[in-house]
Amino acid sequence: MNKKIDNILDNKWWQEVAVIFFSFTIYTLKNDWMLISSFTSILMGIFFYCILYMHAQFNRFFLLPILFKANKPFTYIILTLFGVFVFSVVLYEITMMDMFNKCHLYQNSHQRSYAYQLASVLGTLVCILSPIIVFKFYRIHRKQTDAALLFNQMQLNSLKGQLNPHFLFNTFNTLYGISLQFPDRTPDLIMKVSQLMRYQLESNSKQCVSLEDELEFINSYVQLEKERVGYRCDITFESKVDIEYTYKISPMLLIAFIENAFKHGTCAIENCYVKITITVENGLLKLHVANSIPKKNDVISTKIGLKNTIERLNLIYGKDYKLNINDDKQTYVVDLEIQLKKFVG
């Protein structure tokens, strides 16, 4: 339904019909057409409206460009007043013709006065130009919005293209580390990695995925890391969603914060930990990631993943999200809050 309304609003011909219907209705109410019983009078009324409509269109196509394109408001006002004067004189002279004596239109003396015709020209001009200008700015705004959305989507696709190889690189590093220590478990781990890669490829072309799919992806990644460093590192992952299979999220939006925690929080041998908590209540997702920071950290980081994820958050949510990162040299803590959208239907 909303799509049909948008199509009508974007169609110039439907806009013209709406403007004519609106202004013609105001015109007929102003001139008490319900009291007219003669077909000739109705034709004369339509003839009068056509003159008023021609005047408005003349202003629209020849005078408005002076205001909007040439940016000469004073010139526009002068020419508009002159046009109103000319058309009001034409209408006044027509009402003085003999054929109006037999017509039921404009029978009252004040309706045949010049002041009344002047008011008719001005009023009809406003009634026609106002919605035309509104529709024009609506189309301009819609075009700019569509262009901005397209540009944002191009940026998001570019960021995804950078983030996916980054995730792939880190995952294979994890697989390499496990294969050196536990070579007999490598085949099973390769299968798990392939599942992660499948999700990554399938979700790459989607703007949103179900929250449950994303959480399952994160859980699989955490389990892979447990295989690698779980014997010497305290790793916990908890998730709680108030209503299942309701929310959607941009794919791989949270994984960079979790990757970062494992990359820097598990490089020490003693007293290392990674704690991850994800909760969703009333659509508000809260991500809490905390990891230890070793005294000596030899891990080289380009921070591409974090940088791209923050840029994605800015593109998707603007200022409607909260991200706090606290680094006290012993613990690295990330707290993220975003409002999730629901699946329609």
Side-chain angles (χ1 to χ4, degrees):
M1 183 65 181
N2 292 333
K3 188 175 182 179
K4 290 182 178 180
I5 294 176
D6 289 339
N7 290 335
I8 292 174
L9 289 176
D10 290 334
N11 191 296
K12 291 184 178 181
W13 291 109
W14 279 113
Q15 292 174 6
E16 290 294 334
V17 171
V19 170
I20 293 174
F21 179 79
F22 170 73
S23 58
F24 189 74
T25 301
I26 298 298
Y27 174 74
T28 55
L29 292 175
K30 178 179 71 70
N31 291 297
D32 299 328
W33 275 41
M34 289 188 296
L35 301 178
I36 300 175
S37 58
S38 170
F39 181 72
T40 304
S41 300
I42 294 176
L43 290 179
M44 290 302 300
I46 295 176
F47 172 71
F48 259 74
Y49 172 78
C50 290
I51 295 177
L52 295 171
Y53 184 77
M54 287 173 55
H55 167 247
Q57 294 301 319
F58 173 82
N59 190 292
R60 171 188 179 182
F61 289 107
F62 294 99
L63 300 186
L64 272 181
I66 297 176
L67 175 63
F68 291 118
K69 294 183 179 181
N71 196 21
K72 296 180 179 179
F74 182 75
T75 304
Y76 171 76
I77 292 174
I78 296 298
L79 293 177
T80 297
L81 292 177
F82 178 75
V84 169
F85 169 75
V86 171
F87 274 85
S88 60
V89 169
V90 171
L91 287 180
Y92 175 72
E93 292 297 329
I94 292 176
T95 58
M96 294 295 104
M97 297 172 64
D98 292 339
M99 59 179 161
F100 272 87
N101 294 327
K102 300 178 182 180
C103 179
H104 294 279
L105 187 67
Y106 295 154
Q107 289 299 302
N108 296 329
S109 59
H110 74 278
Q111 290 181 324
R112 293 201 176 189
S113 65
Y114 174 75
Y116 185 85
Q117 302 307 322
L118 179 64
S120 296
V121 174
L122 278 173
T124 309
L125 179 65
V126 172
C127 288
I128 294 177
L129 285 188
S130 296
I132 286 175
I133 293 174
V134 169
F135 282 130
K136 180 180 179 66
F137 279 101
Y138 168 80
R139 290 195 300 269
I140 293 174
H141 175 72
R142 183 67 179 269
K143 186 176 181 180
Q144 291 175 343
T145 302
D146 291 344
L149 288 174
L150 180 61
F151 179 72
N152 286 349
Q153 189 60 46
M154 291 172 61
Q155 286 184 299
L156 284 173
N157 291 338
S158 175
L159 292 174
K160 280 184 181 180
Q162 296 176 39
L163 184 61
N164 291 345
H166 179 268
F167 173 77
L168 185 64
F169 175 77
N170 288 342
T171 303
F172 276 117
N173 272 347
T174 298
L175 182 61
Y176 175 72
I178 297 174
S179 64
L180 291 178
Q181 298 176 14
F182 310 101
D184 56 319
R185 291 156 60 184
T186 302
D188 291 337
L189 295 176
I190 291 176
M191 182 61 66
K192 290 183 179 180
V193 171
S194 67
Q195 292 174 351
L196 292 176
M197 294 300 101
R198 179 185 295 275
Y199 175 83
Q200 182 192 31
L201 291 174
E202 290 179 351
S203 64
N204 190 43
S205 60
K206 300 177 182 178
Q207 291 187 357
C208 292
V209 295
S210 70
L211 179 62
E212 283 70 26
D213 288 345
E214 189 72 5
L215 291 179
E216 180 62 28
F217 169 73
I218 293 173
N219 181 62
S220 298
Y221 179 79
V222 172
Q223 296 304 317
L224 186 66
E225 289 291 349
K226 281 185 177 181
E227 294 281 352
R228 182 174 69 94
V229 294
Y231 69 97
R232 61 176 177 83
C233 185
D234 182 18
I235 301 173
T236 60
F237 172 61
E238 297 178 357
S239 63
K240 182 180 179 181
V241 182
D242 57 353
I243 306 175
E244 294 184 347
Y245 302 103
T246 302
Y247 305 106
K248 57 185 179 180
I249 188 173
S250 181
M252 301 188 67
L253 188 64
L254 309 177
I255 192 65
F257 300 110
I258 298 169
E259 274 188 287
N260 188 70
F262 281 107
K263 184 175 182 180
H264 297 279
T266 62
C267 56
I269 298 178
E270 299 178 351
N271 299 324
C272 65
Y273 63 85
V274 175
K275 300 183 183 298
I276 307 164
T277 304
I278 300 176
T279 60
V280 179
E281 187 173 354
N282 295 324
L284 182 63
L285 183 146
K286 295 183 179 180
L287 169 69
H288 176 79
V289 182
N291 64 270
S292 57
I293 299 178
K295 294 181 179 179
K296 185 179 180 181
N297 189 355
D298 297 328
V299 177
I300 299 175
S301 175
T302 60
K303 296 185 178 180
I304 293 176
L306 285 178
K307 180 181 177 182
N308 287 354
T309 299
I310 293 174
E311 289 186 16
R312 286 181 66 195
L313 285 169
N314 290 330
L315 287 171
I316 297 171
Y317 296 100
K319 296 181 179 179
D320 297 331
Y321 76 92
K322 294 181 180 178
L323 176 62
N324 294 315
I325 299 178
N326 184 30
D327 183 358
D328 61 4
K329 305 303 180 182
Q330 293 182 339
T331 306
Y332 192 89
V333 180
V334 175
D335 285 295
L336 173 67
E337 292 184 10
I338 57 177
Q339 189 68 40
L340 299 178
K341 294 182 179 179
K342 294 183 178 182
F343 283 107
V344 178

